[in-house]
Amino acid sequence: MKVLVAVKRVVDYNVKVRVKADNSGVDLANVKMSMNPFCEIAVEEAVRLKEKGVATEIVVVSIGPSTAQEQLRTALALGADRAILVESADELNSLAVAKLLKAVVDKEQPQLVILGKQAIDSDNNQTGQMLAALSGYGQGTFASKVEVNGDSVAVTREVDGGAQTVSLKLPAIVTTDLRLNEPRYASLPNIMKAKKKPLEVLTPDALGVSTASTNKTLKVEAPAARSAGIKVKSVAELVEKLKNEAKVI
């Protein structure tokens, strides 16, 4: 079984994000970039499926600038077999990414596609669902457990009321939640081996996909700074401040 895993290059989660002076976007100059944490979980799940003998090949794909090859090499070091970079310098929305992934899915014909449920930069939580709609595949989102049995996959989903298990006919789309697994670290020997694994570079034009967006970012602002907390001497004073200053009651 071939498994396709989508990964995204994002600002490292330990970095304090800065907004550009002209409010046109996030300042990425000299900022540490890494693989999206939910994508790390997706790669780990694919590697575990291969270790169980369920998956025979893991293909990782990323869409973005040429520098995204760094994250693809990381995924290769974690256990993926080969990588595909759809190189684009444009700022792509979720639908454009889903269309590009659909073209890669048509090209590779995987039996299972695993994505992180969302990226920590845009936080949209849309691409997996859009890809499922475009491809016509069944989808299991917010997965906390994945079990492949023959030509189907059982996905335990984290929902508001607890957990829901759905059975999907392969091929299928799965998006990962935090509790699915704990990603491993890449060992130095595997990092060296990853440098020799195949990495194919494609373009949206080569895939026949238009990435023109109907959305335009007008302004990006940092959240307002929180004021320092205070201590109150009594419940009455607390109620008074909540009512007259915070105006929440």
Side-chain angles (χ1 to χ4, degrees):
M1 183 176 80
K2 182 189 291 187
V3 179
L4 183 75
V5 183
V7 301
K8 187 177 183 181
R9 176 183 172 88
V10 298
V11 176
D12 189 270
Y13 68 92
N14 289 311
V15 172
K16 182 177 175 60
V17 176
R18 302 188 306 271
V19 175
K20 293 180 179 178
D22 61 358
N23 294 109
S24 62
V26 173
D27 186 3
L28 300 180
N30 301 315
V31 171
K32 181 184 178 184
M33 307 292 285
S34 62
M35 190 191 304
N36 177 50
F38 288 101
C39 298
E40 290 181 345
I41 295 171
V43 173
E44 174 66 24
E45 191 63 22
V47 172
R48 293 188 184 190
L49 288 174
K50 187 176 181 182
E51 290 173 344
K52 292 176 183 176
V54 175
T56 55
E57 183 183 25
I58 301 171
V59 182
V60 287
V61 57
S62 188
I63 300 167
S66 59
T67 48
Q69 291 189 30
E70 178 186 351
Q71 281 64 49
L72 288 173
R73 291 294 179 192
T74 299
L76 291 171
L78 291 171
D81 298 296
R82 57 187 176 92
I84 299 171
L85 173 63
V86 182
E87 191 170 335
S88 175
D90 299 332
E91 186 175 339
L92 304 176
N93 61 21
S94 300
L95 182 57
V97 172
K99 287 179 178 178
L100 290 168
L101 289 176
K102 166 66 163 55
V104 175
V105 167
D106 290 343
K107 177 176 178 291
E108 293 291 331
Q109 293 293 306
Q111 284 71 53
L112 184 63
V113 183
I114 309 179
L115 309 89
K117 71 169 185 177
Q118 64 196 80
I120 61 172
D121 52 2
S122 57
D123 233 21
N124 287 333
N125 180 19
Q126 295 175 329
T127 303
Q129 292 89 329
M130 288 179 171
L131 176 59
L134 291 171
S135 62
Y137 294 172
Q139 59 178 310
T141 55
F142 317 127
S144 60
K145 187 176 182 181
V146 175
E147 292 182 310
V148 178
N149 298 300
D151 63 348
S152 66
V153 55
V155 180
T156 300
R157 306 178 58 238
E158 296 198 1
V159 296
D160 290 343
Q164 176 193 58
T165 301
V166 294
S167 180
L168 311 171
K169 286 288 184 183
L170 296 175
I173 311 290
V174 173
T175 70
T176 62
D177 215 325
L178 282 173
R179 280 155 289 279
L180 179 58
N181 60 52
E182 185 174 342
R184 70 192 68 189
Y185 291 99
S187 65
L188 182 58
N190 287 339
I191 291 173
M192 300 307 293
K193 291 176 184 176
K195 294 180 180 180
K196 297 182 180 179
K197 290 184 178 180
L199 193 158
E200 181 182 5
V201 179
L202 303 173
T203 63
D205 289 340
L207 293 171
V209 177
S210 171
T211 57
S213 176
T214 55
N215 297 335
K216 181 180 179 182
T217 301
L218 301 179
K219 190 177 183 182
V220 176
E221 293 181 321
R226 294 180 61 181
S227 57
I230 61 171
K231 290 184 178 180
V232 294
K233 296 180 180 179
S234 65
V235 173
E237 184 182 357
L238 173 62
V239 171
E240 189 274 330
K241 289 186 177 295
L242 289 174
K243 184 176 182 180
N244 299 319
E245 293 185 18
K247 298 187 184 300
V248 294
I249 59 175

